[in-house]
Amino acid sequence: DGSKLDYGGILDRLNAGEVVVGDGGYVMQLERRGYVKAGHWTPEAAVEHPEAVRQLHREFLRAGANVIQTFTFYCSEDKLEISGNVSNISGAQINEAACDLAREVANEGDALVAGCVSKTPCYVKSHSETKVKAIFKKQMDDFLKKDIDFFIVEFVDHVEEAEWAVEVLKTSSKPVGATLCISPQGDMHGVPPGECAVRLVRAGADIVGINCHLDPLTCIRTVKLMKAGLENAGLKAHLMIQPLGFHTPECNLGGYTSLPEYPFAMETRAMTRWDVHQYAREAYDAGIRYIGGCCGFEPYHIRAIAEEVSAERGFLPPASEKHGLWGAALGMHTKPWVRARAHREYWENLLPASGRPKCPSMATAADDYEK
Amino acid sequence: DGSKLDYGGILDRLNAGEVVVGDGGYVMQLERRGYVKAGHWTPEAAVEHPEAVRQLHREFLRAGANVIQTFTFYCSEDKLEISGNVSNISGAQINEAACDLAREVANEGDALVAGCVSKTPCYVKSHSETKVKAIFKKQMDDFLKKDIDFFIVEFVDHVEEAEWAVEVLKTSSKPVGATLCISPQGDMHGVPPGECAVRLVRAGADIVGINCHLDPLTCIRTVKLMKAGLENAGLKAHLMIQPLGFHTPECNLGGYTSLPEYPFAMETRAMTRWDVHQYAREAYDAGIRYIGGCCGFEPYHIRAIAEEVSAERGFLPPASEKHGLWGAALGMHTKPWVRARAHREYWENLLPASGRPKCPSMATAADDYEK
Amino acid sequence: DGSKLDYGGILDRLNAGEVVVGDGGYVMQLERRGYVKAGHWTPEAAVEHPEAVRQLHREFLRAGANVIQTFTFYCSEDKLEISGNVSNISGAQINEAACDLAREVANEGDALVAGCVSKTPCYVKSHSETKVKAIFKKQMDDFLKKDIDFFIVEFVDHVEEAEWAVEVLKTSSKPVGATLCISPQGDMHGVPPGECAVRLVRAGADIVGINCHLDPLTCIRTVKLMKAGLENAGLKAHLMIQPLGFHTPECNLGGYTSLPEYPFAMETRAMTRWDVHQYAREAYDAGIRYIGGCCGFEPYHIRAIAEEVSAERGFLPPASEKHGLWGAALGMHTKPWVRARAHREYWENLLPASGRPKCPSMATAADDYEK
Amino acid sequence: DGSKLDYGGILDRLNAGEVVVGDGGYVMQLERRGYVKAGHWTPEAAVEHPEAVRQLHREFLRAGANVIQTFTFYCSEDKLEISGNVSNISGAQINEAACDLAREVANEGDALVAGCVSKTPCYVKSHSETKVKAIFKKQMDDFLKKDIDFFIVEFVDHVEEAEWAVEVLKTSSKPVGATLCISPQGDMHGVPPGECAVRLVRAGADIVGINCHLDPLTCIRTVKLMKAGLENAGLKAHLMIQPLGFHTPECNLGGYTSLPEYPFAMETRAMTRWDVHQYAREAYDAGIRYIGGCCGFEPYHIRAIAEEVSAERGFLPPASEKHGLWGAALGMHTKPWVRARAHREYWENLLPASGRPKCPSMATAADDYEK
C-alpha cells in the first residue's frame, strides 16, 4: 500500500513507530497570498495558479512534512457548484491538477501523497447515503487516475458522513485516515469522540483523529477521548491530529467560525513557533504519531513540529538550515538585548503582548452556536 | 529615467500624482517560509532558492505593488562577511540574481524595479565616508549591470550614512528614494526627522520617508515631521512610507527590536487587513503617495493598501479577484453568523481578541535602549 | 424561633417567600480600614475598636441587609491561639462584644442577628469529632449568653466538619444555616455539592449554601448542584449564597487563595455594582432566597443586591436615598458625556478597562492546588 | 499659624523638612459606604450622618494622616443650590459640622485641620471676580467660626479661580495650600503648570500642587512642571500632591471623568497598596513633602504612603499594628503558597490580573474632551 517503496507507505511508517509530520493549512495561507477566496474557500488555484500551490507544497516539504495533501479542499462537485466561485474549470480538472502538483513536490523529498476529501453540502441537505457516497466516489475516481498513496477524509463534523466517506474510499484498497472537526463535546449530533472513533474504525479507517476548528490543546483532548473510546472497544488504530494554528480557548462546538475574528482578523490568535513546540510534545506524549496542522499552520509552524520531534525522528528538516534551534541564530544579532534571547528558556517562558491595549483577550463567541 | 516607457518611471508617476503602491516585507516572510535565517537576515535565497523569492515577488505584484524591490537586504560585502551565514556565494552573485528575479516578475505586470541598499556595519565601525561610500559603490555597480529603474536606500538609522548612500547612488543618474528607520524622536544621533529630510534632499534624494522599525501610525507621524521640515526649508520631495506590519505602540528609538517578542513571537502584533486600510487612508491624507510596507506586510496587507486607494488609482489589483471588498464574499458562507460579517462596518469596528488571557497587551520594552 | 416578633425570624421570612438580603464581607474590608490583620484575619476589633465594627454593620444595614452577622470569624479558641495575633483578649470576650455590636445595629432597623462560626484548625489537625464539637460548643455558649436570632456555619471546606458544627448548634433549638466554601467540584475530600447539601440537611441545617472562595457565578453553579442533590434525595431546605465580590474565573478547588493577587492585589478583580445586579438576578432565578456577600462585598455591593430585588421585596434600602438607580443621578453631572451615562443600558453593557496594559487578564493559579 | 502648638503648624512642619501625609478621598468612599450621592457629590453627610464621616476621618488618621481635611467638598452655596441634593440644611451648617468633626478626630492624634474649598459653578457661569470671591469669603467665614489650622483650595481647573480663592483665604492670615486638578498640559485655558504655580504663589499660596483627576505618576509629572516653573521664576513654595487612587494612563485634559468607567465601574483601575509605595517614593524623590490622595485613596492606601516614608518620618502609623510590612504577616497563613508571598519582591513584581478576559486594558476616552 503506497507507491514509495524506498520509505514505505503511511501504514508501514506508523506501524514502525515513526513520527509522521503532516503539512499545514492551505486555504487560509493561499487566501493571504492572493489565490483563494475566503467564504468560498475552493481550490481552483491548483489549475489557475499552479506555481503558487506548488511553492506552498514545497515550503511544507522543506519544513519537514512527510505527507503532501492534495489541494482539493471543498472540491466535490456539489460544493463547487453551490460556491459559485469557479467557472470553466471542472472539479475533475482541479482534482487531477492537484494530484500532479502534490506528486511533483512529494517526489522532491521523502513524502507521501494523500488524496483529500472533505464534507459535502449534500449530506446536510439530502441526508442520502446514496447521493453522498456517489459524490465521494466521483472524487475518488479522479484521484485514482493519478498516483496517490493514501486518502484522508477531513473537516467532517458529522461522524455518519465520515463513515460513508471511509466506506467509499476503502473500496480502493488504499489506506484511509479520517479526521473530524469536532470538539471534546462530540459531533454535531452529539456523538461523543470515543464513539466517533469506534465508528470510523469499524467503517474501515486505518488512522483516526481530529483536524481544524479548534486550537491544538483542545484537539489533543478530543483525540485522547477518541483513543480511550477505541481502547474501551478493544479496537486499534493510528491517531492523527491537524489542529488550528490559532488560540481559541473560548470556542466550543462551533469552533473558530463562531469567533468574531473569523476569518479576517485572526492574526492576534496565531500560534508562535514556541506554542507549536509545546503542542507537538503534548501530542507525542498522548500517543499521537501523525502530527500536522490545519488553518493557521504556516511552513515555520510545521518546521517547529519537526524540530520538536527531531530526536525521535533522528534528523532535522531541510528548512532548519535557515533556523537556529530555539532561537540560537540570534547569537549573532547586532543588538545585545536581542542576542540575549538566543536560548530556549527565553522563548519558552515568554508571554507575548499584543500591542493592542484596547482589545480584550477573549471574545464572546456567537451565542446561537455555543450551546 | 526608468526603463518602463509605457508607464513611466517612478518620478513620472509621482509627479503625475499617482499613488504608487510599494511591496511588502521579504526577510521576515521568507524566514517563515524557510529561506532566510533570522538573526542574519541575509538574502542568499535569491541564489539558493530563486523560486521562493520569485513567488513572493509575484504575490506582491498580484496584490497591487507598482514596485518590486530587489531582494538585496543586508547584501553589502561587509555585512555578508560579518554575518557569516553565506559561503561560496558572493554578494555580487546575490545582487545580480536578485535583479534578474525582480525584473522577471516586474515585467509580468505594471511594476518598476528598485535596487535596494541598506545600512552597513562599516558605518558604525569605521565612520569613514570613504570606506562606506566604496561599499555602496560596489553594490550599485552590481545593480547597474542589470536593468533596474531606480534606487532605494532603506533601513538606515543614521542620516549621515543615508546621505552618503544617496550621494553615491545619484552618480548613476537614476532616481533615488531614501527611507530611514527612525522614530519621531529622530535618528540615532538625535537629528530630528525634519532635519533628516532636508539633509537627504540636499544630498540628492528624490523621494524621502520612513521604513521599518515602528508601526504604521507612528511612521506616519515621523513622515509628517519630515514633510514639515522640508516645507520650512522651502524644499520639495516626494514622500514614501513602508512601515512595520506590527503594532508597536510601546516602542521608541529602538523600534521593534526592543520588544520582548522580537523576532519570534511577533504574531500577536500582526496588523489585520483592516488596520492596513486605516493606515493607507491616513498615509494618503498626510500627502504620502508612495505607500508600501516592510517586515510584517504580507501580500494580503499590500492588497489592502491597493483596495483602500482603488478609487484614487481607478482600479483594483489582480489579487482582488480572490477577495470580496470589506469581506463581501462572506455573504455565501454556510454559517449565518459568518454571513452577517460581510460588510465594512463589522470589520472596521471589530476589536480583535488575542485568545491569550494570560498575556498582557503591552510589553516592557528593553530598558537600555528606550531612553 | 428568633427574637424579632414584628418581622418574624429567619425561617418565617424564608417560608413566606421573602428575599433575605445578607450582609457583606468584614475581614477584608476592615483590613483596608486598618482594623484586621491579613494572614491572621481574626476579629479582635470587636473589642479593640468597636466603633469601626459598628460603623461597618450600620453601612450594611443601611444598604439593605436583613441579617447582621456577628463579627466572629476565626474566633474559636484554637484558631485564636494558633494565629497568635491577639493577647489579653479572650475568645469569649470577642464573641460577646461582637454579639452586642450586631444586636445594637440590627435593632436600628429590620434585621436579625446571626451568630457565626467558621472552620477550626482542630478539624484538620485532630480529626476528632469530640474535640471539634467541644470547640463549637464553647463558641455557641458564648453566643447564647447574648441575644442572637439564629446561627450560621460558614467558610468550612470539609462537609464533615460542617455537619459536626450543625449538630452542635442545633442543640440550641435555633435555626441554623450552613455554607461551605467549596467549588462545583465538591469539598476537600471530593464529596460533591449535592451530597454535601444532603448531609448538611440531614445533620439539621435549615438553610444550606455556599460562601466565599469563588466568584458569584461559580457559587451559583455550586448552589444549583446542592439544590439538585436535595431534590434527588427528596429533601427540602432554604438556599443561601454569600460569594466573593471578586472575579475569579481561573480558580478551582483552592479558590481565590491560589490566585497570585491574593490577598493584597485583588483590586483589579473587584466586582462593580452592575456585576452584582447580574449576580443577584441569577441567584434569585436559581431559587436562592438568602442572597448576600462575603470578602469583597462592600456596602454598595449589598445595596446593589437590594436594588436588584427591590420589586420582589417592595422597597428600596435606606442607602438608596444616596443612589440614583442605574446611575440616574448622573443626569445632573456638570459634564455632558457623564450625563449621557445616566441609564441602565450604559452600565449593563460596559466592559470596564483596567488601565493596566502590562497586566494579563487571567493569572496562572497556584499549580499545587489546582488539580 | 496653626493651633497645634505641640507639633507645629503645617508650615513649621514643612519648613522643618518633615514629610506630611495627607488624608484620602472622601466623596467616592462615602458614596460606596452609602452617604454621598454620585453626580451631586455634596457633603451633607457631615450633618446627616456624622458617625460615618467621623469614622472615615479616624481611619485616615489611624493610617498615618497628619492632616484631616474638613468634609466640605462642593460646599459653596451656589453649588449646593444647583446640585439640588440638599434641603433643610444650609451650607453654613455643613461647613460648621464638618469643622467640628475634623477637629474632634484630629485631636485624637497628631493631625492638623485643613478647611477646604473647591471650584464654584459661579466662576464658569459669571466669570465675576466679585461674585466668586464673595462665595469663597462666605465659606471662609463659616470655617473661621471654628478651629482650623490652615486652608486648602482644591479641585480647581482654572488657575484664575484658584488665585481668587487664595487671595480671599489669605485675608485670614492662615497658611493656604492650593491644588489644581489639571494635567501636564495645563489648566482649562491652556495655562501651563509652571505658570499656574507662579501665579498661585504670587497670589499668596504657601503650598502648591495637584489633586484629583489623574493617576499618581501623571500628577507627579505635573507637579514637577510646577516646581520647574517656580524655580525659573525665582520663587519658593512647598509642594503637595493628592492624586487619584486609580490608573488612568489614557486620560488627558478631562481626567477620569472622560473614562467610560467613571464613576461606577472604576474598580478595575484601583491602585494596590504596592502601587502606592511606588507613588510615594517617586513623589518624595521629586521633592514633594505633602503627600496624600484624593478619590480612590482608601485608608489602606494612605497607610501605604506612611509605611513607604516611615524611615524618613521615623515612625509607623497606628494602623500598621494591623499590617505586616510588605505582606510579612502572610508568613502565618495556613496555605504554603500564600506564606511564600510574605516578602517585598513578590508584591513589587506582581502584575495583577483582572479576571476579566473580555475587557480591554485601556479604554477610548471621551473624544470631545481629549483634544
Side-chain angles (χ1 to χ4, degrees):
Chain A
D1 56 325
S3 62
K4 298 282 284 188
L5 296 183
D6 294 347
Y7 304 104
I10 186 69
L11 297 182
D12 296 335
R13 292 179 179 214
L14 291 169
N15 289 334
E18 278 186 37
V19 183
V20 171
V21 175
D23 53 2
Y26 286 90
V27 291
M28 288 194 90
Q29 182 61 15
L30 287 172
E31 195 278 336
R32 292 186 176 182
R33 295 187 184 192
Y35 301 100
V36 164
K37 195 161 190 173
H40 304 267
W41 302 119
T42 47
E44 63 276 9
V47 172
E48 294 175 342
H49 298 282
E51 74 284 2
V53 178
R54 184 187 296 114
Q55 177 61 25
L56 185 54
H57 279 325
R58 267 190 191 133
E59 293 168 12
F60 286 134
L61 181 78
R62 187 169 155 74
N66 294 124
V67 176
I68 301 298
Q69 296 189 213
T70 57
F71 182 52
T72 53
F73 182 72
Y74 270 172
C75 201
S76 62
E77 286 293 343
D78 66 328
K79 181 67 186 178
L80 288 173
E81 190 175 330
I82 284 173
S83 153
N85 189 38
V86 185
S87 53
N88 304 321
I89 309 176
S90 68
Q93 279 178 280
I94 300 173
N95 285 324
E96 292 177 33
C99 287
D100 289 342
L101 287 167
R103 172 56 62 204
E104 174 189 350
V105 175
N107 285 352
E108 294 173 4
D110 170 22
L112 301 164
V113 171
C116 299
V117 303
S118 41
K119 69 175 175 179
T120 65
C122 181
Y123 174 77
V124 169
K125 196 178 161 193
S126 74
H127 204 183
S128 155
E129 183 171 349
T130 311
K131 289 184 187 169
V132 171
K133 283 188 162 174
I135 289 170
F136 286 129
K137 173 74 164 55
K138 189 167 190 318
Q139 199 172 355
M140 178 180 71
D141 290 341
D142 294 341
F143 292 141
L144 292 177
K145 289 182 207 152
K146 299 291 179 176
D147 178 21
I148 65 158
D149 297 309
F150 67 106
F151 287 107
I152 293 176
V153 180
E154 66 180 5
F155 200 72
V156 184
D157 49 11
H158 292 90
V159 67
E160 186 182 49
E161 185 179 10
E163 287 175 282
W164 295 346
V166 170
E167 287 164 3
V168 169
L169 296 170
K170 281 308 291 183
T171 64
S172 73
S173 82
K174 290 188 186 288
V176 174
T179 51
L180 303 176
C181 56
I182 65 171
S183 80
Q185 299 180 45
D187 90 342
M188 285 294 109
H189 284 150
V191 183
E195 186 181 334
C196 289
V198 167
R199 289 173 55 173
L200 291 171
V201 171
R202 294 205 165 125
D206 304 286
I207 314 165
V208 296
I210 293 293
N211 85 303
C212 205
H213 256 203
L214 288 153
D215 60 22
L217 301 187
T218 303
C219 290
I220 290 174
R221 282 170 46 216
T222 315
V223 177
K224 285 179 175 175
L225 293 169
M226 297 178 97
K227 186 183 180 192
L230 293 174
E231 288 170 355
N232 288 342
L235 295 173
K236 278 202 75 152
H238 296 291
L239 300 173
M240 75 183 279
I241 186 166
Q242 305 212 91
L244 289 186
F246 300 111
H247 290 273
T248 64
E250 61 272 68
C251 289
N252 293 312
L253 287 179
Y256 72 151
T257 69
S258 65
L259 288 176
E261 294 83 15
Y262 175 87
F264 292 133
M266 295 293 289
E267 284 81 357
T268 52
R269 294 176 174 271
M271 298 185 77
T272 67
R273 59 196 75 194
W274 320 115
D275 293 331
V276 174
H277 273 271
Q278 183 195 1
Y279 148 64
R281 182 53 49 199
E282 295 198 13
Y284 184 87
D285 288 347
I288 306 169
R289 289 294 177 269
Y290 186 142
I291 304 172
C294 197
C295 301
F297 268 79
E298 301 186 28
Y300 72 106
H301 294 108
I302 296 299
R303 177 173 61 193
I305 298 174
E307 292 188 346
E308 177 62 30
V309 295
S310 62
E312 286 81 2
R313 295 172 96 203
F315 57 91
L316 282 168
S320 292
E321 293 174 68
K322 296 293 179 185
H323 192 233
L325 284 181
W326 289 104
L330 297 182
M332 59 71 56
H333 198 279
T334 53
K335 305 209 190 293
W337 58 91
V338 178
R339 288 200 293 276
R341 297 170 194 167
H343 58 94
R344 175 170 181 163
E345 288 68 25
Y346 181 84
W347 295 107
E348 265 190 337
N349 292 305
L350 181 72
L351 291 175
S354 69
R356 289 173 162 91
K358 292 182 181 174
C359 292
S361 62
M362 285 172 69
T364 301
D367 285 338
D368 45 358
Y369 208 61
E370 294 300 320
K371 286 161 192 163
Chain B
D1 57 325
S3 62
K4 298 282 285 188
L5 296 184
D6 294 347
Y7 304 104
I10 186 68
L11 297 183
D12 296 335
R13 291 179 179 212
L14 291 169
N15 288 334
E18 277 185 39
V19 183
V20 171
V21 175
D23 54 3
Y26 287 90
V27 290
M28 287 195 90
Q29 182 60 16
L30 287 171
E31 195 279 334
R32 291 186 175 181
R33 296 187 185 192
Y35 300 100
V36 165
K37 195 162 191 172
H40 304 266
W41 302 119
T42 47
E44 61 276 10
V47 172
E48 296 175 341
H49 298 282
E51 73 285 1
V53 178
R54 184 188 296 114
Q55 177 61 25
L56 185 54
H57 278 324
R58 267 191 190 131
E59 292 168 12
F60 287 133
L61 181 78
R62 186 168 156 75
N66 296 125
V67 175
I68 300 298
Q69 295 189 215
T70 57
F71 182 52
T72 53
F73 183 73
Y74 271 172
C75 200
S76 61
E77 287 292 344
D78 65 329
K79 181 66 187 178
L80 288 173
E81 190 176 330
I82 285 173
S83 153
N85 189 39
V86 186
S87 53
N88 303 321
I89 309 175
S90 69
Q93 278 177 282
I94 299 173
N95 286 324
E96 292 178 35
C99 287
D100 289 342
L101 287 166
R103 171 55 63 204
E104 174 188 350
V105 175
N107 285 352
E108 295 173 3
D110 170 23
L112 302 164
V113 171
C116 298
V117 303
S118 41
K119 69 175 176 178
T120 65
C122 180
Y123 174 78
V124 169
K125 194 178 163 195
S126 75
H127 204 182
S128 154
E129 183 171 348
T130 310
K131 289 184 186 170
V132 171
K133 282 188 163 176
I135 288 171
F136 287 129
K137 174 73 164 53
K138 189 166 188 321
Q139 198 172 356
M140 178 180 70
D141 290 342
D142 294 340
F143 292 142
L144 291 177
K145 291 181 207 151
K146 300 291 180 176
D147 179 20
I148 64 157
D149 297 309
F150 67 104
F151 287 107
I152 294 176
V153 180
E154 66 179 6
F155 201 72
V156 184
D157 50 11
H158 292 90
V159 67
E160 186 182 49
E161 184 180 11
E163 287 175 281
W164 294 347
V166 170
E167 287 164 3
V168 169
L169 296 169
K170 282 307 291 183
T171 64
S172 73
S173 82
K174 289 187 186 289
V176 175
T179 51
L180 303 176
C181 55
I182 64 172
S183 80
Q185 298 180 45
D187 90 342
M188 286 292 109
H189 284 150
V191 183
E195 187 180 334
C196 288
V198 167
R199 288 173 56 172
L200 291 171
V201 171
R202 293 203 167 128
D206 304 286
I207 315 165
V208 296
I210 293 294
N211 85 305
C212 205
H213 256 202
L214 289 153
D215 61 22
L217 302 187
T218 303
C219 289
I220 291 174
R221 284 169 45 217
T222 315
V223 176
K224 284 179 175 175
L225 293 169
M226 296 179 98
K227 186 184 181 192
L230 293 174
E231 286 170 355
N232 288 343
L235 294 172
K236 279 201 73 151
H238 296 291
L239 300 172
M240 74 183 279
I241 186 166
Q242 305 212 92
L244 289 186
F246 299 111
H247 290 274
T248 65
E250 61 272 67
C251 290
N252 293 312
L253 287 179
Y256 71 151
T257 68
S258 65
L259 288 176
E261 294 84 15
Y262 175 87
F264 292 133
M266 295 294 289
E267 284 81 357
T268 53
R269 295 175 173 272
M271 298 186 76
T272 67
R273 57 196 77 194
W274 320 115
D275 292 332
V276 174
H277 273 271
Q278 184 195 1
Y279 148 63
R281 182 54 48 198
E282 294 198 16
Y284 184 87
D285 288 347
I288 306 169
R289 288 296 177 271
Y290 187 140
I291 303 172
C294 197
C295 301
F297 268 79
E298 301 186 28
Y300 73 107
H301 294 108
I302 296 299
R303 178 173 61 192
I305 297 174
E307 291 188 347
E308 178 62 29
V309 295
S310 63
E312 286 81 2
R313 295 172 97 204
F315 57 90
L316 283 167
S320 292
E321 293 173 67
K322 297 291 180 187
H323 192 234
L325 285 181
W326 289 104
L330 297 181
M332 60 69 57
H333 199 278
T334 53
K335 306 210 190 291
W337 59 90
V338 178
R339 289 200 292 276
R341 297 170 193 167
H343 58 93
R344 175 170 181 163
E345 288 69 24
Y346 181 84
W347 296 106
E348 265 190 338
N349 293 305
L350 181 72
L351 292 175
S354 69
R356 287 172 164 91
K358 292 184 180 173
C359 293
S361 61
M362 286 172 70
T364 300
D367 285 339
D368 45 359
Y369 207 61
E370 295 299 320
K371 285 159 192 164
Chain C
D1 58 323
S3 63
K4 300 283 286 191
L5 296 185
D6 295 345
Y7 304 103
I10 186 67
L11 297 183
D12 296 335
R13 291 177 180 213
L14 291 169
N15 288 336
E18 278 186 38
V19 183
V20 170
V21 175
D23 54 3
Y26 286 91
V27 290
M28 288 194 88
Q29 183 60 16
L30 287 171
E31 194 278 337
R32 291 186 175 181
R33 296 187 183 191
Y35 301 100
V36 164
K37 196 162 191 173
H40 303 267
W41 303 119
T42 46
E44 63 277 9
V47 171
E48 294 174 343
H49 298 283
E51 73 286 1
V53 178
R54 183 187 296 116
Q55 177 60 27
L56 185 53
H57 278 325
R58 265 188 191 135
E59 292 168 14
F60 287 133
L61 181 78
R62 187 168 156 74
N66 295 125
V67 175
I68 300 300
Q69 296 189 215
T70 57
F71 181 53
T72 53
F73 183 73
Y74 271 172
C75 201
S76 62
E77 285 293 342
D78 66 327
K79 180 67 185 177
L80 288 173
E81 191 176 329
I82 285 172
S83 152
N85 189 38
V86 186
S87 52
N88 303 320
I89 310 177
S90 68
Q93 278 177 284
I94 299 173
N95 285 323
E96 292 178 33
C99 288
D100 289 342
L101 286 167
R103 171 56 61 205
E104 174 189 349
V105 175
N107 286 352
E108 294 174 2
D110 171 22
L112 300 164
V113 171
C116 299
V117 304
S118 40
K119 71 174 175 178
T120 65
C122 180
Y123 175 78
V124 170
K125 194 179 163 194
S126 75
H127 205 183
S128 154
E129 183 172 348
T130 310
K131 287 184 189 170
V132 171
K133 282 190 163 175
I135 288 170
F136 287 129
K137 173 73 164 54
K138 190 168 186 317
Q139 199 171 358
M140 177 181 72
D141 290 341
D142 294 341
F143 291 142
L144 291 176
K145 288 181 208 151
K146 299 291 179 175
D147 178 21
I148 65 157
D149 296 309
F150 67 106
F151 287 107
I152 294 177
V153 179
E154 66 179 6
F155 201 72
V156 184
D157 49 12
H158 292 89
V159 65
E160 184 181 52
E161 185 181 10
E163 287 175 281
W164 294 348
V166 170
E167 286 165 3
V168 169
L169 295 170
K170 282 308 290 185
T171 64
S172 74
S173 84
K174 289 186 187 288
V176 174
T179 52
L180 304 176
C181 54
I182 65 172
S183 82
Q185 299 180 44
D187 91 341
M188 286 293 109
H189 284 149
V191 183
E195 186 180 335
C196 288
V198 167
R199 287 172 56 171
L200 290 171
V201 170
R202 291 202 169 129
D206 305 285
I207 314 165
V208 296
I210 293 295
N211 84 304
C212 205
H213 257 204
L214 288 152
D215 60 22
L217 301 187
T218 303
C219 289
I220 290 174
R221 283 170 48 218
T222 315
V223 176
K224 284 179 175 174
L225 293 169
M226 297 180 99
K227 187 184 178 189
L230 292 174
E231 287 170 355
N232 289 342
L235 294 173
K236 279 201 72 151
H238 296 291
L239 300 173
M240 73 184 278
I241 186 166
Q242 305 213 93
L244 289 187
F246 300 110
H247 290 273
T248 64
E250 62 271 69
C251 290
N252 293 312
L253 286 180
Y256 71 151
T257 68
S258 64
L259 289 175
E261 294 82 14
Y262 174 87
F264 291 133
M266 295 293 290
E267 283 81 356
T268 53
R269 295 175 174 271
M271 300 185 76
T272 67
R273 57 195 77 191
W274 320 114
D275 293 332
V276 173
H277 273 271
Q278 184 196 359
Y279 148 63
R281 180 53 50 199
E282 295 197 15
Y284 184 87
D285 289 348
I288 306 169
R289 289 294 177 271
Y290 186 140
I291 304 172
C294 197
C295 300
F297 268 79
E298 300 186 28
Y300 72 107
H301 294 108
I302 296 298
R303 179 172 62 192
I305 299 174
E307 290 187 348
E308 178 61 30
V309 295
S310 62
E312 286 81 2
R313 295 172 98 204
F315 57 90
L316 284 167
S320 291
E321 291 173 68
K322 297 294 179 183
H323 192 235
L325 285 181
W326 290 102
L330 296 181
M332 60 69 57
H333 198 277
T334 54
K335 307 211 190 287
W337 58 90
V338 178
R339 288 199 293 275
R341 297 171 193 167
H343 58 93
R344 176 169 179 164
E345 288 68 24
Y346 181 83
W347 295 107
E348 264 190 337
N349 293 305
L350 181 72
L351 292 175
S354 69
R356 289 174 164 89
K358 293 184 179 173
C359 293
S361 62
M362 284 170 72
T364 301
D367 285 339
D368 46 357
Y369 207 61
E370 294 301 318
K371 287 162 194 162
Chain D
D1 57 322
S3 61
K4 300 283 286 191
L5 297 184
D6 296 345
Y7 303 102
I10 186 68
L11 298 183
D12 295 335
R13 291 177 180 213
L14 291 168
N15 288 336
E18 279 186 36
V19 183
V20 171
V21 175
D23 53 4
Y26 287 90
V27 290
M28 289 195 88
Q29 182 60 15
L30 287 172
E31 195 279 335
R32 292 185 175 183
R33 297 188 183 189
Y35 300 101
V36 164
K37 195 162 191 172
H40 302 268
W41 303 118
T42 47
E44 63 276 10
V47 171
E48 294 175 342
H49 298 282
E51 74 284 2
V53 178
R54 183 187 296 114
Q55 177 61 24
L56 186 53
H57 278 324
R58 267 190 190 133
E59 292 168 13
F60 286 133
L61 181 77
R62 188 166 154 76
N66 295 124
V67 175
I68 301 299
Q69 295 190 217
T70 57
F71 181 52
T72 53
F73 183 72
Y74 271 172
C75 201
S76 62
E77 286 293 342
D78 67 328
K79 181 66 186 179
L80 288 173
E81 190 176 330
I82 285 173
S83 151
N85 189 38
V86 187
S87 52
N88 302 322
I89 309 176
S90 69
Q93 279 177 282
I94 300 173
N95 286 325
E96 292 178 33
C99 288
D100 288 342
L101 287 166
R103 172 55 62 206
E104 175 188 349
V105 175
N107 285 352
E108 295 173 2
D110 170 23
L112 300 165
V113 171
C116 299
V117 303
S118 41
K119 71 175 175 179
T120 65
C122 180
Y123 175 78
V124 170
K125 192 177 163 194
S126 75
H127 204 182
S128 155
E129 183 171 349
T130 309
K131 288 184 189 170
V132 171
K133 283 189 161 174
I135 288 170
F136 286 129
K137 174 72 164 55
K138 189 166 186 319
Q139 199 172 357
M140 176 180 73
D141 289 342
D142 294 340
F143 292 140
L144 292 176
K145 289 181 208 153
K146 299 290 180 176
D147 178 20
I148 64 157
D149 296 309
F150 67 105
F151 287 106
I152 294 176
V153 179
E154 66 179 6
F155 201 72
V156 183
D157 49 13
H158 292 90
V159 65
E160 185 182 50
E161 185 180 9
E163 286 175 282
W164 295 348
V166 170
E167 286 165 4
V168 169
L169 295 169
K170 282 308 290 185
T171 64
S172 73
S173 84
K174 288 185 186 290
V176 174
T179 52
L180 303 176
C181 53
I182 65 172
S183 82
Q185 298 180 45
D187 91 342
M188 287 293 109
H189 284 149
V191 183
E195 186 180 333
C196 288
V198 167
R199 287 172 57 172
L200 290 172
V201 170
R202 290 201 169 130
D206 304 286
I207 313 164
V208 297
I210 293 294
N211 85 304
C212 205
H213 258 203
L214 289 152
D215 61 22
L217 301 187
T218 304
C219 289
I220 289 174
R221 284 170 47 217
T222 315
V223 175
K224 283 179 175 174
L225 293 170
M226 296 178 99
K227 186 183 179 191
L230 292 174
E231 287 170 356
N232 288 342
L235 294 173
K236 280 201 72 150
H238 296 291
L239 300 172
M240 74 184 278
I241 187 166
Q242 305 213 93
L244 289 187
F246 301 110
H247 289 274
T248 64
E250 62 271 68
C251 290
N252 293 311
L253 285 180
Y256 71 151
T257 69
S258 64
L259 288 175
E261 294 83 15
Y262 175 86
F264 291 132
M266 296 292 291
E267 283 82 356
T268 54
R269 296 175 172 272
M271 300 184 77
T272 67
R273 58 195 77 192
W274 321 115
D275 293 331
V276 174
H277 273 271
Q278 183 194 2
Y279 147 64
R281 181 53 49 198
E282 294 197 16
Y284 183 87
D285 288 347
I288 306 169
R289 288 296 177 271
Y290 186 140
I291 304 172
C294 197
C295 301
F297 268 79
E298 300 186 28
Y300 72 107
H301 294 108
I302 296 300
R303 178 172 62 192
I305 299 174
E307 291 186 348
E308 177 63 30
V309 295
S310 62
E312 286 81 2
R313 294 171 97 204
F315 57 90
L316 283 167
S320 292
E321 292 173 69
K322 297 294 178 183
H323 191 235
L325 284 181
W326 290 103
L330 296 180
M332 60 70 56
H333 199 277
T334 55
K335 307 211 190 287
W337 58 90
V338 178
R339 288 200 292 276
R341 299 171 191 166
H343 58 93
R344 177 169 178 164
E345 288 68 25
Y346 181 84
W347 295 106
E348 264 191 337
N349 293 305
L350 181 72
L351 292 176
S354 68
R356 288 174 165 90
K358 294 185 180 173
C359 293
S361 62
M362 284 172 69
T364 300
D367 285 340
D368 45 358
Y369 207 61
E370 294 301 318
K371 286 161 193 162

